[in-house]
Amino acid sequence: MKMIDLPTRGTCFGFAGPDNHMVSLNVPAANDDGREHQFYSFDIEYDPEQPDKLTVCLLEVDQDNFIHTVRKSISFPASLLADLVSKRKATAEEVATWQAMSDEDE
């Protein structure tokens, strides 16, 4: 069986509308080894008609490179995500990983 090495997409913004406003943030899911998953990512969507609400989606890229929504959360207040992020502290393992990555860049 031949392994297909797909290029990584990385974290990116999604733009839409006549003025190309940013409406989403797409973050790749991670494999068990911490590398970017080839097919799955999470999308945090912003709806300009509900500026205080966000929706999180699990997206999948199929064999033809089309993106499909696999799961979608209910829309929730953006302040809840901000509150959660402000309370979360990095684990010792995450800090060690970041430090190792910054050491490699030097």
Side-chain angles (χ1 to χ4, degrees), residues 22-97:
M22 198 266 302
V23 294
S24 69
L25 171 65
N26 186 270
V27 180
N31 286 324
D32 292 337
D33 62 4
R35 291 184 172 181
E36 182 179 311
H37 197 284
Q38 292 181 349
F39 305 109
Y40 293 108
S41 64
F42 294 95
D43 213 44
I44 301 172
E45 298 178 350
Y46 165 78
D47 182 355
E49 294 179 10
Q50 295 181 326
D52 62 334
K53 301 278 185 176
L54 295 174
T55 306
V56 177
C57 301
L58 174 62
L59 304 180
E60 177 182 37
V61 176
D62 68 13
Q63 296 173 0
D64 299 319
N65 253 359
F66 288 105
I67 299 171
H68 302 278
T69 300
V70 177
R71 297 277 189 259
K72 190 173 193 171
S73 76
I74 60 167
S75 294
F76 58 91
S79 60
L80 290 178
L81 183 59
D83 187 47
L84 177 65
V85 169
S86 70
K87 291 179 181 176
R88 185 176 183 296
K89 302 290 184 204
T91 64
E93 182 181 347
E94 289 170 329
V95 171
T97 302

